[in-house]
Amino acid sequence: MVEQRNAGKKAPRKAPGKVPEKANGKATGKARGRTRRAVLFGGLGIFTAAAIAGHEDLQRAWWLLPGVGKPRKEGAVDHAGVGWTAASPVNWRLADRPDDYRVDRIVIHVTQGSFASSVDAFKNPWHQASAHYIVAQDGRVEQMVRELDVAFHAGNRSMNERSVGIEHEGYVDRPQDFTDAMYAASARLAADICRRYGIRVDRTHILGHSEVPGADHTDPGRHWDWDRYLGLVRAELAAAPR
């Protein structure tokens, strides 16, 4: 799942019944519409709260420093046909990708929980993590962070800044959770991301959370069929109109 999860896999920080990665309910639109001055004071507030909470939170607060925000429309999505639920603005960072950070990686995650609990976790400001997308077992896809922004999903600042994070509903030790509908929907999404950013379809540029430098997570686990998945992504790219 995402960055701040419990050992072994992903369990939301303080969101009972969840195991995924992401943010603050329906307040995203407001967060995105903030002025630079408001964003600055918001960043200062983060440090103040972190200082009160303790040294570890203070160390992590630099992840939340506000970035440059492109004009954005509330509820806009980056991939056709997906739903939109805003992650808590504490669980991602404003950016201007790919103009400020090159996007050249896709990181594959597994939620270690249900689709609904994963959405709730990313809306929870205490969860401290998010991903750009969550793919359900029935093929539904929910976007929770815009691709131009940095989601906290990989546990590695550099990887977060250069990648798009895709969560998949299920558990790493249950191969039956990785359904045909999930693989197909995720492959269409990944192919679209690769097309738009010029990302190569290989195991260097599309990787699992467990392969991120410094990662302490195991997803997507040994039951994730990488050959099948990359084959589907390549097929989607080949079939798409130029």
Side-chain angles (χ1 to χ4, degrees), residues 3 23 32 34 39 46 60-69 72 87-97 100-101 130 132 145-153 156-162:
E3 310 188 345
R32 295 181 173 183
R34 292 180 297 182
V39 170
I46 288 167
R60 187 182 180 279
W62 70 285
W63 282 60
L64 306 177
L65 282 172
V68 176
R72 73 267 320 268
S88 169
V90 174
N91 296 337
W92 54 273
R93 174 162 56 85
L94 282 171
D96 191 15
R97 303 190 314 169
D100 52 0
Y101 303 111
S130 65
H132 295 91
V145 178
R146 289 292 306 277
E147 290 176 16
L148 54 80
D149 295 319
V150 176
F152 302 155
H153 65 97
N156 176 304
R157 178 169 178 139
S158 176
M159 185 62 72
N160 285 343
E161 290 171 343
R162 72 189 302 177

CSV table of all heavy atoms in Angstrom, one decimal, residues 3 23 32 34 39 46 60-69 72 87-97 100-101 130 132 145-153 156-162:
chain,number,residue,atom,x,y,z
A,3,GLU,N,2.9,4.7,2.1
A,3,GLU,CA,4.0,4.9,2.9
A,3,GLU,C,3.9,4.5,4.4
A,3,GLU,O,4.6,3.7,4.9
A,3,GLU,CB,4.3,6.4,3.0
A,3,GLU,CG,4.4,6.9,1.6
A,3,GLU,CD,4.9,8.3,1.5
A,3,GLU,OE1,4.9,9.0,2.5
A,3,GLU,OE2,5.2,8.7,0.4
A,23,ALA,N,-6.4,10.2,1.6
A,23,ALA,CA,-6.6,11.5,2.2
A,23,ALA,C,-8.0,12.2,2.4
A,23,ALA,O,-9.0,11.8,2.2
A,23,ALA,CB,-5.8,12.4,1.3
A,32,ARG,N,-7.0,22.8,-3.1
A,32,ARG,CA,-6.4,23.1,-4.4
A,32,ARG,C,-6.6,24.6,-4.8
A,32,ARG,O,-5.8,25.1,-5.6
A,32,ARG,CB,-7.0,22.2,-5.5
A,32,ARG,CG,-6.6,20.7,-5.1
A,32,ARG,CD,-7.1,19.8,-6.2
A,32,ARG,NE,-6.6,18.5,-6.0
A,32,ARG,CZ,-6.8,17.5,-6.8
A,32,ARG,NH1,-7.6,17.6,-7.8
A,32,ARG,NH2,-6.4,16.3,-6.5
A,34,ARG,N,-6.5,27.1,-2.8
A,34,ARG,CA,-5.9,28.0,-1.9
A,34,ARG,C,-4.9,28.9,-2.6
A,34,ARG,O,-4.3,28.6,-3.5
A,34,ARG,CB,-5.1,27.2,-0.8
A,34,ARG,CG,-6.0,26.4,0.1
A,34,ARG,CD,-5.2,25.7,1.1
A,34,ARG,NE,-4.4,24.7,0.5
A,34,ARG,CZ,-3.6,23.9,1.2
A,34,ARG,NH1,-3.5,24.0,2.5
A,34,ARG,NH2,-2.9,23.0,0.6
A,39,VAL,N,-1.4,28.8,1.3
A,39,VAL,CA,-0.6,27.6,1.3
A,39,VAL,C,0.6,27.7,2.2
A,39,VAL,O,1.0,26.8,2.9
A,39,VAL,CB,-0.2,27.2,-0.2
A,39,VAL,CG1,0.8,26.1,-0.2
A,39,VAL,CG2,-1.4,26.8,-1.0
A,46,ILE,N,1.7,23.2,9.5
A,46,ILE,CA,2.1,21.8,9.6
A,46,ILE,C,3.3,21.6,10.5
A,46,ILE,O,3.3,20.7,11.3
A,46,ILE,CB,2.5,21.3,8.2
A,46,ILE,CG1,1.2,21.1,7.3
A,46,ILE,CG2,3.3,20.0,8.2
A,46,ILE,CD1,1.5,21.0,5.8
A,60,ARG,N,9.2,14.5,9.7
A,60,ARG,CA,8.5,14.2,8.5
A,60,ARG,C,7.8,15.4,7.9
A,60,ARG,O,7.4,15.4,6.8
A,60,ARG,CB,7.4,13.2,8.9
A,60,ARG,CG,6.6,12.6,7.7
A,60,ARG,CD,5.5,11.7,8.1
A,60,ARG,NE,4.8,11.2,6.9
A,60,ARG,CZ,3.8,11.9,6.3
A,60,ARG,NH1,3.5,13.0,6.8
A,60,ARG,NH2,3.2,11.4,5.3
A,61,ALA,N,7.7,16.5,8.7
A,61,ALA,CA,6.9,17.7,8.2
A,61,ALA,C,7.5,18.2,6.9
A,61,ALA,O,6.8,18.8,6.1
A,61,ALA,CB,6.9,18.7,9.3
A,62,TRP,N,8.8,18.1,6.7
A,62,TRP,CA,9.4,18.6,5.4
A,62,TRP,C,8.8,18.0,4.2
A,62,TRP,O,8.8,18.6,3.1
A,62,TRP,CB,10.9,18.5,5.4
A,62,TRP,CG,11.4,17.1,5.3
A,62,TRP,CD1,11.4,16.1,6.2
A,62,TRP,CD2,12.0,16.5,4.1
A,62,TRP,NE1,11.9,15.0,5.7
A,62,TRP,CE2,12.3,15.2,4.4
A,62,TRP,CE3,12.2,17.0,2.8
A,62,TRP,CZ2,12.9,14.3,3.5
A,62,TRP,CZ3,12.8,16.1,1.9
A,62,TRP,CH2,13.1,14.8,2.3
A,63,TRP,N,8.2,16.8,4.3
A,63,TRP,CA,7.5,16.2,3.2
A,63,TRP,C,6.3,17.0,2.8
A,63,TRP,O,5.9,16.9,1.6
A,63,TRP,CB,7.1,14.8,3.6
A,63,TRP,CG,8.1,13.7,3.6
A,63,TRP,CD1,9.2,13.7,4.4
A,63,TRP,CD2,8.1,12.5,2.9
A,63,TRP,NE1,10.0,12.6,4.2
A,63,TRP,CE2,9.3,11.8,3.3
A,63,TRP,CE3,7.3,11.9,1.9
A,63,TRP,CZ2,9.6,10.6,2.7
A,63,TRP,CZ3,7.6,10.7,1.4
A,63,TRP,CH2,8.8,10.0,1.8
A,64,LEU,N,5.8,17.7,3.7
A,64,LEU,CA,4.5,18.4,3.4
A,64,LEU,C,4.7,19.9,3.0
A,64,LEU,O,3.7,20.6,2.8
A,64,LEU,CB,3.6,18.4,4.7
A,64,LEU,CG,3.4,17.0,5.3
A,64,LEU,CD1,2.6,17.1,6.5
A,64,LEU,CD2,2.7,16.1,4.3
A,65,LEU,N,5.9,20.3,2.8
A,65,LEU,CA,6.1,21.7,2.4
A,65,LEU,C,5.3,21.9,1.1
A,65,LEU,O,5.4,21.2,0.2
A,65,LEU,CB,7.6,21.9,2.1
A,65,LEU,CG,8.5,22.2,3.4
A,65,LEU,CD1,9.9,22.2,3.0
A,65,LEU,CD2,8.0,23.4,4.1
A,66,PRO,N,4.6,23.0,1.0
A,66,PRO,CA,3.8,23.3,-0.2
A,66,PRO,C,4.6,23.5,-1.4
A,66,PRO,O,5.7,24.0,-1.3
A,66,PRO,CB,3.0,24.6,0.2
A,66,PRO,CG,3.8,25.2,1.3
A,66,PRO,CD,4.4,24.1,2.1
A,67,GLY,N,4.2,23.1,-2.5
A,67,GLY,CA,4.9,23.2,-3.8
A,67,GLY,C,4.2,24.2,-4.7
A,67,GLY,O,3.3,24.9,-4.3
A,68,VAL,N,4.5,24.2,-5.9
A,68,VAL,CA,3.9,25.0,-6.9
A,68,VAL,C,2.6,24.4,-7.4
A,68,VAL,O,2.6,23.2,-7.8
A,68,VAL,CB,4.9,25.3,-8.1
A,68,VAL,CG1,4.2,26.1,-9.2
A,68,VAL,CG2,6.1,25.9,-7.6
A,69,GLY,N,1.5,25.1,-7.4
A,69,GLY,CA,0.3,24.5,-7.8
A,69,GLY,C,-0.2,25.0,-9.2
A,69,GLY,O,-0.4,26.2,-9.3
A,72,ARG,N,-6.1,24.2,-11.2
A,72,ARG,CA,-6.8,22.9,-11.4
A,72,ARG,C,-8.3,23.0,-11.1
A,72,ARG,O,-8.7,23.9,-10.4
A,72,ARG,CB,-6.2,21.8,-10.5
A,72,ARG,CG,-6.4,21.9,-9.1
A,72,ARG,CD,-5.3,22.6,-8.2
A,72,ARG,NE,-4.0,22.4,-8.7
A,72,ARG,CZ,-3.2,21.4,-8.2
A,72,ARG,NH1,-3.6,20.6,-7.3
A,72,ARG,NH2,-1.9,21.4,-8.6
A,87,ALA,N,-8.3,12.9,-1.7
A,87,ALA,CA,-7.5,12.5,-0.5
A,87,ALA,C,-7.3,13.7,0.4
A,87,ALA,O,-7.3,14.9,-0.1
A,87,ALA,CB,-6.2,11.9,-1.0
A,88,SER,N,-7.0,13.5,1.7
A,88,SER,CA,-6.7,14.6,2.6
A,88,SER,C,-5.5,15.3,2.1
A,88,SER,O,-4.5,14.7,1.7
A,88,SER,CB,-6.5,14.0,4.0
A,88,SER,OG,-6.0,15.0,4.8
A,89,PRO,N,-5.6,16.7,2.1
A,89,PRO,CA,-4.4,17.4,1.6
A,89,PRO,C,-3.2,17.2,2.5
A,89,PRO,O,-2.1,17.6,2.1
A,89,PRO,CB,-4.9,18.9,1.7
A,89,PRO,CG,-6.1,18.9,2.7
A,89,PRO,CD,-6.7,17.5,2.5
A,90,VAL,N,-3.3,16.6,3.6
A,90,VAL,CA,-2.2,16.3,4.5
A,90,VAL,C,-1.4,15.1,3.9
A,90,VAL,O,-0.2,14.9,4.2
A,90,VAL,CB,-2.6,16.0,5.9
A,90,VAL,CG1,-1.4,15.5,6.8
A,90,VAL,CG2,-3.2,17.3,6.5
A,91,ASN,N,-2.1,14.3,3.1
A,91,ASN,CA,-1.5,13.0,2.6
A,91,ASN,C,-0.9,13.1,1.2
A,91,ASN,O,-0.5,12.1,0.6
A,91,ASN,CB,-2.6,12.0,2.6
A,91,ASN,CG,-3.1,11.7,4.0
A,91,ASN,OD1,-2.4,11.9,5.0
A,91,ASN,ND2,-4.3,11.1,4.0
A,92,TRP,N,-0.8,14.3,0.7
A,92,TRP,CA,-0.1,14.5,-0.6
A,92,TRP,C,0.4,16.0,-0.6
A,92,TRP,O,0.2,16.8,0.2
A,92,TRP,CB,-1.1,14.3,-1.8
A,92,TRP,CG,-2.3,15.1,-1.7
A,92,TRP,CD1,-3.5,14.8,-1.1
A,92,TRP,CD2,-2.6,16.4,-2.3
A,92,TRP,NE1,-4.4,15.8,-1.2
A,92,TRP,CE2,-3.9,16.8,-2.0
A,92,TRP,CE3,-1.8,17.2,-3.1
A,92,TRP,CZ2,-4.5,18.0,-2.4
A,92,TRP,CZ3,-2.4,18.5,-3.5
A,92,TRP,CH2,-3.7,18.8,-3.2
A,93,ARG,N,1.2,16.3,-1.7
A,93,ARG,CA,1.8,17.6,-1.7
A,93,ARG,C,1.6,18.3,-3.1
A,93,ARG,O,1.7,17.6,-4.2
A,93,ARG,CB,3.3,17.5,-1.5
A,93,ARG,CG,4.1,18.8,-1.7
A,93,ARG,CD,5.5,18.6,-1.0
A,93,ARG,NE,6.3,17.5,-1.4
A,93,ARG,CZ,7.1,17.5,-2.5
A,93,ARG,NH1,7.2,18.6,-3.2
A,93,ARG,NH2,7.8,16.4,-2.8
A,94,LEU,N,1.3,19.5,-3.1
A,94,LEU,CA,1.1,20.3,-4.3
A,94,LEU,C,2.4,20.3,-5.2
A,94,LEU,O,3.5,20.4,-4.6
A,94,LEU,CB,0.7,21.7,-4.1
A,94,LEU,CG,-0.7,22.1,-3.7
A,94,LEU,CD1,-0.8,23.5,-3.2
A,94,LEU,CD2,-1.6,21.8,-4.8
A,95,ALA,N,2.2,20.1,-6.5
A,95,ALA,CA,3.4,20.1,-7.4
A,95,ALA,C,2.9,20.6,-8.7
A,95,ALA,O,1.8,21.1,-8.9
A,95,ALA,CB,4.0,18.8,-7.5
A,96,ASP,N,3.8,20.5,-9.7
A,96,ASP,CA,3.6,21.0,-11.0
A,96,ASP,C,4.1,20.0,-12.0
A,96,ASP,O,4.8,20.4,-13.0
A,96,ASP,CB,4.3,22.4,-11.2
A,96,ASP,CG,3.9,23.1,-12.4
A,96,ASP,OD1,2.9,22.8,-13.0
A,96,ASP,OD2,4.6,24.1,-12.8
A,97,ARG,N,3.9,18.8,-11.8
A,97,ARG,CA,4.5,17.7,-12.6
A,97,ARG,C,3.8,17.7,-14.0
A,97,ARG,O,2.6,17.9,-14.1
A,97,ARG,CB,4.3,16.3,-11.9
A,97,ARG,CG,5.0,16.3,-10.5
A,97,ARG,CD,5.1,14.9,-9.9
A,97,ARG,NE,3.8,14.1,-10.0
A,97,ARG,CZ,3.8,12.8,-9.8
A,97,ARG,NH1,4.9,12.2,-9.4
A,97,ARG,NH2,2.7,12.2,-9.9
A,100,ASP,N,8.0,20.4,-13.0
A,100,ASP,CA,8.9,20.5,-11.9
A,100,ASP,C,9.6,19.2,-11.6
A,100,ASP,O,10.8,19.1,-11.2
A,100,ASP,CB,8.3,21.1,-10.6
A,100,ASP,CG,7.1,20.4,-10.2
A,100,ASP,OD1,6.7,19.4,-10.8
A,100,ASP,OD2,6.5,20.8,-9.1
A,101,TYR,N,8.9,18.0,-11.8
A,101,TYR,CA,9.5,16.7,-11.6
A,101,TYR,C,9.1,15.8,-12.8
A,101,TYR,O,7.9,15.7,-13.1
A,101,TYR,CB,9.0,16.0,-10.3
A,101,TYR,CG,9.2,16.8,-9.0
A,101,TYR,CD1,8.1,17.4,-8.4
A,101,TYR,CD2,10.5,17.0,-8.5
A,101,TYR,CE1,8.3,18.1,-7.2
A,101,TYR,CE2,10.7,17.7,-7.3
A,101,TYR,CZ,9.6,18.3,-6.7
A,101,TYR,OH,9.8,19.0,-5.5
A,130,SER,N,-1.1,8.3,0.8
A,130,SER,CA,-2.1,8.3,-0.3
A,130,SER,C,-1.5,7.7,-1.5
A,130,SER,O,-0.3,7.4,-1.6
A,130,SER,CB,-2.6,9.7,-0.6
A,130,SER,OG,-1.5,10.5,-1.1
A,132,HIS,N,-2.3,7.9,-6.1
A,132,HIS,CA,-3.1,8.6,-7.1
A,132,HIS,C,-4.3,7.8,-7.4
A,132,HIS,O,-5.4,8.5,-7.6
A,132,HIS,CB,-2.2,8.8,-8.3
A,132,HIS,CG,-1.0,9.7,-8.1
A,132,HIS,ND1,0.2,9.2,-7.8
A,132,HIS,CD2,-0.9,11.0,-8.2
A,132,HIS,CE1,1.0,10.2,-7.6
A,132,HIS,NE2,0.4,11.3,-7.9
A,145,VAL,N,-5.6,11.6,-5.9
A,145,VAL,CA,-4.7,12.7,-6.0
A,145,VAL,C,-4.4,12.9,-7.5
A,145,VAL,O,-4.2,11.9,-8.3
A,145,VAL,CB,-3.3,12.3,-5.3
A,145,VAL,CG1,-2.3,13.4,-5.4
A,145,VAL,CG2,-3.6,12.0,-3.8
A,146,ARG,N,-4.3,14.2,-7.9
A,146,ARG,CA,-4.0,14.5,-9.3
A,146,ARG,C,-2.6,14.1,-9.6
A,146,ARG,O,-1.7,14.1,-8.8
A,146,ARG,CB,-4.2,16.0,-9.5
A,146,ARG,CG,-5.7,16.5,-9.5
A,146,ARG,CD,-6.5,15.9,-10.7
A,146,ARG,NE,-5.8,16.2,-12.0
A,146,ARG,CZ,-6.0,17.4,-12.6
A,146,ARG,NH1,-6.7,18.4,-12.1
A,146,ARG,NH2,-5.4,17.6,-13.8
A,147,GLU,N,-2.4,13.6,-10.8
A,147,GLU,CA,-1.1,13.2,-11.3
A,147,GLU,C,0.0,14.3,-11.2
A,147,GLU,O,1.2,14.1,-11.0
A,147,GLU,CB,-1.1,12.6,-12.7
A,147,GLU,CG,-1.8,11.3,-12.8
A,147,GLU,CD,-1.9,10.8,-14.2
A,147,GLU,OE1,-1.2,11.3,-15.1
A,147,GLU,OE2,-2.7,9.9,-14.4
A,148,LEU,N,-0.5,15.5,-11.3
A,148,LEU,CA,0.5,16.6,-11.3
A,148,LEU,C,1.0,16.9,-9.9
A,148,LEU,O,2.0,17.5,-9.7
A,148,LEU,CB,-0.1,17.9,-11.8
A,148,LEU,CG,-1.5,18.5,-11.3
A,148,LEU,CD1,-1.3,19.2,-10.0
A,148,LEU,CD2,-2.1,19.4,-12.3
A,149,ASP,N,0.3,16.3,-8.9
A,149,ASP,CA,0.7,16.4,-7.5
A,149,ASP,C,1.5,15.2,-7.0
A,149,ASP,O,1.4,14.1,-7.6
A,149,ASP,CB,-0.5,16.7,-6.6
A,149,ASP,CG,-1.2,18.0,-6.9
A,149,ASP,OD1,-0.4,19.0,-7.1
A,149,ASP,OD2,-2.4,18.1,-6.9
A,150,VAL,N,2.2,15.3,-5.9
A,150,VAL,CA,3.0,14.2,-5.3
A,150,VAL,C,2.2,13.5,-4.2
A,150,VAL,O,1.9,14.1,-3.2
A,150,VAL,CB,4.3,14.8,-4.7
A,150,VAL,CG1,5.1,13.7,-4.1
A,150,VAL,CG2,5.1,15.5,-5.8
A,151,ALA,N,1.9,12.3,-4.5
A,151,ALA,CA,1.2,11.4,-3.5
A,151,ALA,C,2.2,10.8,-2.6
A,151,ALA,O,3.3,10.4,-3.1
A,151,ALA,CB,0.3,10.4,-4.2
A,152,PHE,N,1.9,10.6,-1.3
A,152,PHE,CA,2.9,9.9,-0.4
A,152,PHE,C,2.5,8.4,-0.4
A,152,PHE,O,1.8,7.9,0.4
A,152,PHE,CB,2.7,10.5,1.0
A,152,PHE,CG,2.9,12.0,1.1
A,152,PHE,CD1,2.4,12.7,2.1
A,152,PHE,CD2,3.7,12.6,0.1
A,152,PHE,CE1,2.6,14.1,2.2
A,152,PHE,CE2,3.9,14.0,0.2
A,152,PHE,CZ,3.4,14.7,1.2
A,153,HIS,N,3.1,7.7,-1.4
A,153,HIS,CA,2.7,6.3,-1.5
A,153,HIS,C,3.9,5.3,-1.5
A,153,HIS,O,3.8,4.1,-1.3
A,153,HIS,CB,2.0,6.1,-2.9
A,153,HIS,CG,2.8,6.4,-4.1
A,153,HIS,ND1,3.4,5.4,-4.8
A,153,HIS,CD2,3.1,7.5,-4.7
A,153,HIS,CE1,4.1,5.9,-5.8
A,153,HIS,NE2,3.9,7.2,-5.8
A,156,ASN,N,9.5,6.9,-0.2
A,156,ASN,CA,10.8,7.4,-0.7
A,156,ASN,C,10.5,8.7,-1.4
A,156,ASN,O,9.7,8.7,-2.4
A,156,ASN,CB,11.4,6.4,-1.6
A,156,ASN,CG,12.7,6.8,-2.3
A,156,ASN,OD1,12.7,7.8,-2.9
A,156,ASN,ND2,13.7,6.0,-2.1
A,157,ARG,N,11.0,9.8,-0.9
A,157,ARG,CA,10.6,11.1,-1.5
A,157,ARG,C,10.9,11.2,-2.9
A,157,ARG,O,10.1,11.7,-3.7
A,157,ARG,CB,11.4,12.3,-0.7
A,157,ARG,CG,11.0,13.6,-1.3
A,157,ARG,CD,11.5,14.8,-0.5
A,157,ARG,NE,11.2,16.1,-1.1
A,157,ARG,CZ,10.7,17.1,-0.6
A,157,ARG,NH1,10.5,17.1,0.7
A,157,ARG,NH2,10.5,18.2,-1.2
A,158,SER,N,12.1,10.8,-3.4
A,158,SER,CA,12.5,10.9,-4.8
A,158,SER,C,11.5,10.1,-5.6
A,158,SER,O,11.1,10.5,-6.7
A,158,SER,CB,13.9,10.4,-5.0
A,158,SER,OG,14.3,10.4,-6.3
A,159,MET,N,11.2,8.9,-5.2
A,159,MET,CA,10.3,8.0,-6.0
A,159,MET,C,8.9,8.6,-6.0
A,159,MET,O,8.2,8.6,-7.0
A,159,MET,CB,10.2,6.6,-5.4
A,159,MET,CG,9.4,5.6,-6.2
A,159,MET,SD,10.0,5.4,-7.9
A,159,MET,CE,11.5,4.4,-7.6
A,160,ASN,N,8.5,9.2,-4.9
A,160,ASN,CA,7.1,9.8,-4.9
A,160,ASN,C,7.1,10.9,-5.9
A,160,ASN,O,6.1,11.1,-6.6
A,160,ASN,CB,6.9,10.4,-3.5
A,160,ASN,CG,6.5,9.4,-2.5
A,160,ASN,OD1,6.1,8.3,-2.8
A,160,ASN,ND2,6.5,9.8,-1.2
A,161,GLU,N,8.2,11.7,-6.0
A,161,GLU,CA,8.2,12.9,-6.9
A,161,GLU,C,8.2,12.5,-8.4
A,161,GLU,O,7.7,13.2,-9.2
A,161,GLU,CB,9.4,13.8,-6.6
A,161,GLU,CG,9.2,14.5,-5.3
A,161,GLU,CD,10.5,15.2,-4.8
A,161,GLU,OE1,11.6,14.9,-5.3
A,161,GLU,OE2,10.3,16.0,-3.9
A,162,ARG,N,8.7,11.3,-8.7
A,162,ARG,CA,8.8,10.9,-10.1
A,162,ARG,C,7.8,9.8,-10.5
A,162,ARG,O,7.9,9.4,-11.7
A,162,ARG,CB,10.2,10.3,-10.3
A,162,ARG,CG,10.5,9.0,-9.7
A,162,ARG,CD,11.9,8.5,-9.7
A,162,ARG,NE,12.5,8.5,-11.0
A,162,ARG,CZ,13.8,8.2,-11.3
A,162,ARG,NH1,14.6,8.0,-10.4
A,162,ARG,NH2,14.2,8.2,-12.6
